[in-house]
Amino acid sequence: MPRYLTDFMKILISNDDGYMAPGLMALYQALQDVAEVEVIAPEQNNSAKSNALTLNAPLYVHQGTNGFRFVNGTPADCVHIALTGLLDYRPDLVVSGINNGANMGDDTIYSGTVGAAMEGYLFGIPAIAFSQVQKNWLHLDAAARKARELVLGMQQQQQLITAKPWLLNVNIPNLPYEQIGRTKLCRLGRRHAAEKAIEQTNPRGERMYWIGAAGPAADDAEGTDFHATTQGHVSITPLKVDLTDYDNLGYWAQTAARLVPDANSSSA
Ligand code: MN
């Protein structure tokens, strides 16, 4: 049942950098006087865990010395457990972050920050993933203030009382509040393929690999998140989960129709 705008909104916060991350605390502090806020975050850093759920081990919930509850699992685990067992109410909004580093373009596929927000969205709840562009927490207070403004703006526009959930991906440049530009609606850009894997030898003489760094922007044209944040603006991109390639359904219809049934699987 929809609640009234005058009600105190209920917000579930998670992240992928872990429950001790400065970005999580900043987001909590920015929202705690405008909403009933609950934090449930991963115990460890879970960057690039996307929507992963832990199915092969039990999940435990503990409370940290900072008051936040943490889970020995992924960002999506945290939101999933919260919505299916831990909370005795349904939040009006799920927010994730503020992430330590950009989640733009193809990053959104890998991002645990986006994954936590997406888990809320998949449960029918509006959700926002917040990231700071650089990985140094510089001007985190300004990013938190921008996050708060966006949440309040969405509430004032009655976007939280909606039959249809939405999912926003937000990237905020590391600038002082006064220097942050406009909030711009963007499409996702693209990155080049990642850098080479880093090959090393461990102390036992075995070969090992480290995943290389993400590639630089390949499509950072005007209108993309890369372009907006480079200009000092806050980028907002609405995301959807349906990965169907609608543009090419016609092409694949012809190809699929010409597929020959597998002779081995046909019963004689
Ligand atoms: Mn992260």
Side-chain angles (χ1 to χ4, degrees):
M1 195 185 346
R3 297 186 305 112
Y4 295 101
L5 191 61
T6 47
D7 289 355
F8 219 42
M9 62 181 153
K10 294 184 170 70
I11 300 180
L12 171 64
I13 305 185
S14 194
N15 77 344
D16 80 357
D17 295 326
Y19 78 101
M20 296 290 281
L24 182 71
M25 180 59 86
L27 191 54
Y28 168 78
Q29 286 174 342
L31 297 176
Q32 47 101 24
D33 67 327
V34 296
E36 217 169 282
V37 181
E38 185 96 37
V39 176
I40 301 170
E43 182 173 13
Q44 308 284 344
N45 187 299
N46 270 263
S47 293
K49 288 286 163 69
S50 190
N51 305 295
L53 291 177
T54 302
L55 302 181
N56 59 352
L59 296 170
Y60 296 91
V61 182
H62 294 290
Q63 189 156 26
T65 50
N66 62 4
F68 297 162
R69 286 196 275 182
F70 62 86
V71 178
N72 59 323
T74 65
D77 283 333
C78 294
V79 174
H80 194 101
I81 291 291
L83 298 180
T84 58
L86 221 45
L87 304 182
D88 55 5
Y89 61 91
R90 185 178 164 87
D92 301 302
L93 180 69
V94 174
V95 298
S96 178
I98 299 170
N99 188 56
N100 189 22
N103 278 309
M104 302 190 289
D106 339 18
D107 301 341
T108 51
I109 295 289
Y110 299 96
S111 167
T113 307
V114 174
M118 193 178 285
E119 192 69 9
Y121 171 75
L122 291 172
F123 275 84
I125 300 170
I128 311 175
F130 290 106
S131 304
Q132 260 196 315
V133 174
Q134 279 154 38
K135 285 190 182 184
N136 53 20
W137 300 124
L138 205 63
H139 305 298
L140 180 58
D141 54 328
R145 199 170 152 191
K146 280 288 168 193
R148 175 192 161 100
E149 283 174 14
L150 180 63
V151 168
L152 285 175
M154 296 307 280
Q155 186 198 28
Q156 278 154 17
Q157 290 187 44
Q158 311 226 13
Q159 293 291 343
L160 303 185
I161 305 167
T162 170
K164 220 174 154 219
W166 40 263
L167 173 60
L168 298 181
N169 184 46
V170 178
N171 283 274
I172 306 165
N174 300 57
L175 292 170
Y177 181 81
E178 300 73 28
Q179 289 175 32
I180 296 178
R182 290 192 296 116
T183 296
K184 294 186 87 169
L185 188 68
C186 298
R187 69 176 173 87
L188 298 178
R190 288 295 306 273
R191 283 190 191 276
H192 284 284
E195 307 287 336
K196 263 175 77 76
I198 299 146
E199 189 181 323
Q200 292 180 331
T201 305
N202 79 5
R204 295 191 187 90
E206 297 157 332
R207 190 172 298 169
M208 60 183 184
Y209 296 89
W210 295 89
I211 297 283
D219 173 8
D220 56 357
E222 194 163 357
T224 63
D225 42 9
F226 288 101
H227 189 271
T229 53
T230 302
Q231 307 290 315
H233 300 300
V234 175
S235 70
I236 295 189
T237 305
L239 302 180
K240 62 176 182 175
V241 174
D242 183 350
L243 298 176
T244 307
D245 185 358
Y246 289 101
D247 291 344
N248 289 308
L249 270 182
Y251 168 81
W252 285 107
Q254 293 167 27
T255 305
R258 284 196 296 265
L259 289 175
V260 180
D262 185 350
N264 294 324
S265 68
S266 65
S267 55

